Amino acid sequence: GQIFEVFIHNMELQSEERNEKLAAEQASEKGERKHFGVVAVAAGEGTAKILKSLGVDVVVSGGQTMNPSTDDILAAVNATPSEIVFVLPNNKNIIMAAQQTAELTEKQVVVLETKTMPQGISAMLAFSPDASVEENVSAMMEAAKKAEQFAEIIGKNRELPQVPKNFMAQCVDFMKQVSEIKRDYPDMWD
């Protein structure tokens, strides 16, 4: 006979995601709530660890060619112990599914239309739990936009013949932020 529809799943990753969701649900049941929560989509354990270290509450496995369903994102939103949840799709193909979660939950869902991992990471670097929703949306999307502009410059001009005036200042600022993350989370960089 023929073999068709073969699926290969990373059981370790699935188990880790399940445990994260259960932990978030338990925290929610205990009343450990935060003003803001963040859900992000990421492919791979390393990227998930980076996002978690930046404050993401629940990471949904997905990315290019393995888009999570609306139900996957909804479960993550509902497992987040807050009433206001920012969602970082980190892929243009996941944005619509993320937007649909807002209609399916009682929580306030704010989808930041991040299309790449660098945009998502940059957005998290700009996130402030003390800011308002509007301030966070503005700061996070501005950071995501800068990440996109940087990627376009690099993609178009491998040799960077013309560099925008503040390009190096932005790079230095980014590297300072990365250094702080490395200092605060040394085990993540082994």
Side-chain angles (χ1 to χ4, degrees), residues 14-138:
Q14 286 178 333
S15 176
E16 188 176 305
E17 287 174 359
R18 181 180 173 277
N19 290 339
E20 287 174 1
K21 287 179 185 176
L22 288 174
E25 287 173 2
Q26 289 171 352
S28 178
E29 289 171 7
K30 290 179 185 175
E32 298 173 18
R33 303 193 67 74
K34 303 185 310 180
H35 185 61
F36 295 124
V38 182
V39 170
V41 179
E45 186 177 329
T47 307
K49 282 183 179 179
I50 291 170
L51 288 168
K52 292 283 241 175
S53 76
L54 295 173
V56 171
D57 296 292
V58 181
V59 177
V60 178
S61 180
Q64 203 60 32
T65 71
M66 43 187 238
N67 300 339
S69 67
T70 299
D71 194 48
D72 293 334
I73 299 169
L74 178 63
V77 165
N78 287 334
T80 302
S82 66
E83 291 303 314
I84 302 170
V85 182
F86 293 98
V87 178
L88 304 170
N90 299 327
N91 185 304
K92 66 180 180 178
N93 297 327
I94 301 172
I95 292 171
M96 190 179 301
Q99 290 170 334
Q100 290 174 341
T101 63
E103 302 167 15
L104 303 172
T105 184
E106 293 180 16
K107 295 185 178 198
Q108 180 181 346
V109 176
V110 180
V111 178
L112 300 168
E113 296 186 11
T114 54
K115 297 174 185 163
T116 64
M117 283 311 308
Q119 284 186 331
I121 291 170
S122 296
M124 282 309 299
L125 287 169
F127 174 72
S128 172
D130 299 323
S132 69
V133 172
E134 295 79 16
E135 291 168 332
N136 269 314
V137 168
S138 177

